[in-house]
């Protein structure tokens, strides 16, 4: 991933529970739970997989007539795509001994996953992976006739017919989805096991909104203004999708693998975290909060998963967040509603207003500091050359739903903000507050900010980098309110530049009042 695509950011949280957004969906250990109620059967060229009895230690065999206990169910495990294989008669699970036997479920040595056989839609390997060596072992025939038929055991996977198990057609989609979960997760950890070939990519579009702040209820008799410190964390949840609900988080290396084949735009990756102070007018008896959304595009292609030189492929759609798109990169939307978020009733967006296409303002700068252009934004640079803060413009969404990128240019302490893609002098719509980051990187101890005080509370001078950043966030957030959202600057140009002016005023104030960032 090109380093200059990564947006600088920091994490500060609002009161109550801070919501971390768009994190990769990675599996964790969990209590085993039964999956489907109807049974699996597994058949290869020599017969049907079966348990030879209902007791502990009974061997697993393959018989042509399938006269023993041939029905199985899956017990899903916490790791993506993994399961225990339980006999429906005994309730006991297949254990990977030589030969295989059944034992009470829940033991080490009973974890399996599926691997599809390319070109045979209903055929799968029943596989165990040795993570230390990367070797995969497939359920196989032991060879030679025994009392109950041919005994079964796991052998090193070699693609032979005796390792290819046909499942009922009604179970094939579920088995393939489990295989995709397993190998997609493996791909995210070890990209050498997979490759991606892109076929097409869609247009940039806004991804579903996610709550990005605490929720505040106005129990007074009038409208109240509340500053929300909004957060989102780095990481994006792309998912592999092949018709069933199959979703595994895509790691940064896999995202890079996909993005390298994009033609029109570049992928957006935040390796840090951004804070915003956003003011919302909350009517009496209403809840107020802020939603966040990223801009992404759907990319279609083919994944090839290859372990032990036995590749299999699947068509997939992956959502990739992007920059340099007509829709911008991210957006925040202030929300109010008589109903709490999650109650099924959506809140109203902020009211659109006339915004100037081009607006200019003189920014407050800390003593000895200067402003410098940085991508589409502006950096505040101290006398020692160190970055104090970086401010990036918001995004304008017009009443027709089109998002417009906003860019900033610098001349001394004067900043000009331009809304791109606007033909007249003004555009009617909403503008998200500017984003800001502090310093040149994520401060030590920043994760401890999850219990930070409400934005309306007083913040003491810094005793640590964490306290300094919380203090700065309050100064910037409340200055955004005074500088724009509360109407201190009016008219199209004032509305357009007001929040930006407030952000710089808050930075200058914070440098004086929040102490050093230690």
């Amino acid at each position: 991933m090109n380093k200059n695509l990564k947006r600088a950011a920091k994490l500060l949280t609002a009161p109550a529970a801070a919501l971390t957004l768009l994190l990769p969906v990675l599996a964790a250990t969990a209590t085993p739970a039964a999956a489907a109620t109807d049974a699996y059967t597994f058949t290869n060229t020599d017969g049907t997989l079966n348990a030879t009895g209902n007791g502990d230690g009974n061997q697993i065999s393959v018989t042509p007539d399938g006269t023993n206990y041939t029905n199985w169910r899956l017990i899903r495990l916490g790791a993506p795509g993994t399961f225990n294989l339980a006999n429906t008669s005994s309730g006991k699970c297949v254990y990977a001994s030589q030969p295989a036997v059944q034992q009470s479920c829940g033991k080490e040595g009973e974890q399996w996953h599926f691997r599809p056989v390319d070109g045979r839609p209903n055929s799968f390997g029943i596989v165990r992976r040795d993570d230390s060596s990367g070797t995969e072992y497939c359920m196989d025939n032991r060879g030679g006739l025994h009392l109950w038929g041919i005994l079964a055991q796991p052998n090193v996977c070699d693609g032979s017919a005796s390792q290819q198990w046909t499942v009922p057609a009604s179970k094939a989609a579920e088995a393939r989805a489990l295989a995709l979960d397993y190998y997609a997760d493996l791909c995210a950890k070890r990209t050498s096991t997979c490759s991606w070939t892109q076929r097409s990519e869609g247009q940039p579009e806004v991804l579903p909104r996610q709550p990005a702040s605490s929720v505040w209820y106005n129990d007074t008799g009038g409208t109240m203004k509340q500053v929300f410190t909004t957060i989102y964390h780095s990481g994006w949840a792309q998912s592999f999708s092949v018709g069933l609900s199959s979703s595994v988080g895509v790691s940064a290396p896999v995202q890079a693998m996909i993005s390298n084949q994009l033609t029109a735009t570049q992928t957006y990756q935040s390796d840090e975290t951004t804070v915003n102070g956003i003011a919302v007018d909350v009517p009496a008896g209403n809840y107020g909060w802020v939603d966040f959304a990223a801009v992404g595009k759907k990319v279609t292609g083919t994944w090839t998963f290859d372990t032990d030189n036995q590749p299999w492929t699947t068509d997939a759609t992956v959502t990739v967040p992007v920059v340099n798109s007509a829709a911008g990169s991210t957006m925040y939307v202030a929300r109010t509603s008589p109903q709490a978020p999650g109650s099924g009733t959506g809140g109203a967006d902020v009211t659109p207003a006339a915004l100037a296409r081009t607006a200019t303002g003189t920014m407050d700068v800390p003593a000895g500091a200067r402003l410098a252009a940085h991508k589409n934004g502006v950096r505040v640079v101290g006398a020692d050359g160190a970055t104090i803060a970086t401010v990036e413009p918001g995004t304008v969404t017009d009443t027709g739903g089109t998002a417009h990128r906003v860019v900033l240019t610098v001349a001394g302490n004067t900043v000009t903000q331009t809304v791109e893609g606007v033909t007249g002098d003004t555009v009617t719509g909403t503008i998200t507050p500017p984003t800001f980051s502090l310093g040149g990187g994520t401060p030590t101890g920043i994760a401890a900010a999850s219990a930070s005080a409400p934005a309306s509370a007083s913040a003491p001078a810094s005793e640590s980098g964490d306290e300094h950043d919380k203090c700065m966030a309050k100064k910037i957030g409340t200055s955004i309110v005074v500088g724009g959202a509360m109407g201190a600057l009016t008219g199209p140009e004032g509305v357009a530049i007001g929040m930006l002016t407030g952000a710089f005023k808050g930075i200058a104030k914070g440098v004086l009042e929040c102490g050093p960032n230690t």
Side-chain angles (χ1 to χ4, degrees):
M1 180 67 60
N2 192 333
K3 295 293 185 184
N4 65 17
L5 297 181
K6 297 183 179 179
R7 300 180 59 185
K10 289 212 181 272
L11 170 63
L12 292 176
T13 59
L19 300 178
T20 301
L21 303 184
L22 301 178
L23 290 177
V25 185
L26 298 177
T29 55
T31 302
T37 55
D38 52 328
Y40 274 83
T41 57
F42 301 98
T43 303
N44 68 12
T45 53
D46 293 310
T48 302
L49 192 72
N50 63 88
T52 57
N54 284 328
D56 265 359
N58 283 137
Q59 294 174 325
I60 307 301
S61 71
V62 183
T63 55
D65 55 5
T67 55
N68 296 319
Y69 303 102
T70 60
N71 290 332
W72 306 89
R73 66 182 178 92
L74 308 185
I75 301 176
R76 302 280 187 92
L77 303 176
T82 61
F83 52 83
N84 288 162
L85 193 58
N87 192 270
T88 59
S89 177
S90 66
K92 299 183 184 298
C93 290
V94 176
Y95 178 78
S97 54
Q98 300 275 351
V101 297
Q102 65 177 8
Q103 294 187 358
S104 298
C105 298
K107 297 179 180 180
E108 181 62 35
E110 296 176 347
Q111 298 81 15
W112 304 89
H113 64 269
F114 288 128
R115 180 169 64 185
V117 178
D118 237 13
R120 299 185 61 187
N122 298 347
S123 293
F124 299 84
I126 305 171
V127 186
R128 284 179 53 80
R129 181 181 179 84
D130 182 343
D131 285 332
S132 60
S133 66
T135 303
E136 292 191 330
Y137 296 86
C138 291
M139 184 62 72
D140 198 353
N141 298 343
R142 185 181 179 93
L145 290 176
H146 296 265
L147 178 61
W148 300 281
I150 301 173
L151 294 182
Q153 67 181 35
N155 292 325
V156 173
C157 297
D158 58 14
S160 61
S162 58
Q163 296 179 354
Q164 300 177 13
W165 301 91
T166 300
V167 303
S170 62
K171 308 300 291 184
E174 180 187 47
R176 191 171 183 85
L178 285 168
L180 182 59
D181 276 348
Y182 181 87
Y183 285 100
D185 181 62
L186 182 62
C187 170
K189 297 172 182 175
R190 302 179 184 179
T191 55
S192 61
T193 65
C194 60
S195 61
W196 167 258
T197 302
Q198 179 176 310
R199 292 200 313 274
S200 66
E201 57 188 73
Q203 295 300 311
E205 58 183 280
V206 177
L207 302 179
R209 294 175 183 174
Q210 301 286 340
S213 74
S214 61
V215 179
W216 184 77
Y217 181 71
N218 181 6
D219 60 356
T220 72
T223 297
M224 297 287 289
K225 294 184 182 295
Q226 175 72 1
V227 178
F228 292 89
T229 303
T230 62
I231 64 164
Y232 66 91
H233 192 274
S234 62
W236 300 94
Q238 296 83 244
S239 64
F240 299 83
S241 176
V242 287
L244 282 180
S245 176
S246 179
S247 178
V248 174
V250 179
S251 65
V254 174
Q255 180 176 310
M257 184 189 306
I258 299 168
S259 64
N260 285 340
Q261 298 179 37
L262 293 179
T263 58
T265 55
Q266 297 170 304
T267 58
Y268 174 100
Q269 183 186 3
S270 171
D271 62 349
E272 300 168 48
T273 312
T274 299
V275 298
N276 286 277
I278 297 180
V280 182
D281 289 322
V282 184
N286 273 245
Y287 295 87
W289 70 97
V290 178
D291 284 348
F292 166 83
V295 174
K297 61 165 54 179
K298 290 183 173 61
V299 182
T300 63
T302 300
W303 284 104
T304 300
F305 301 100
D306 189 358
T307 54
D308 292 335
N309 298 311
Q310 296 176 62
W312 63 280
T313 61
T314 186
D315 293 336
T317 299
V318 180
T319 301
V320 184
V322 299
V323 293
N324 298 342
S325 75
S329 298
T330 59
M331 66 166 56
Y332 287 95
V333 182
R335 311 283 285 181
T336 62
S337 174
Q339 305 296 325
S343 62
T345 303
D349 291 354
V350 291
T351 304
L355 305 168
R357 179 177 61 85
T358 301
T360 300
T362 300
M363 304 298 145
D364 285 358
V365 179
R370 61 182 175 84
L371 300 184
H374 178 69
K375 301 180 184 177
N376 293 327
V378 177
R379 272 188 166 165
V380 182
V381 181
D384 60 356
T387 298
I388 297 172
T390 303
V391 178
E392 297 183 18
T395 301
V396 170
T397 303
D398 63 29
T399 52
T402 300
H404 300 267
R405 190 175 71 153
V406 179
V407 296
L408 305 178
T409 56
V410 182
N413 290 352
T414 299
V415 175
T416 299
Q417 176 178 274
T418 302
V419 183
E420 294 188 335
V422 176
T423 55
D425 292 335
T426 62
V427 57
T428 301
T430 57
I431 185 169
T432 62
T435 63
F436 58 88
S437 59
L438 307 176
T442 303
T444 302
I446 199 66
S450 59
S452 61
S456 58
S458 61
S462 173
E463 295 181 359
S464 67
D466 187 17
E467 290 301 318
H468 170 272
D469 292 338
K470 286 187 282 186
C471 177
M472 288 288 289
K474 179 198 168 185
K475 300 300 181 184
I476 298 172
T478 54
S479 295
I480 288 174
V481 178
V482 175
M486 290 184 68
L489 300 178
T490 59
E493 183 168 335
V495 173
I497 201 74
M499 290 185 291
L500 186 67
T501 304
F504 281 94
K505 184 179 294 184
I507 291 169
K509 191 174 183 180
V511 168
L512 288 175
E513 300 180 15
C514 295
N517 183 2
T518 57

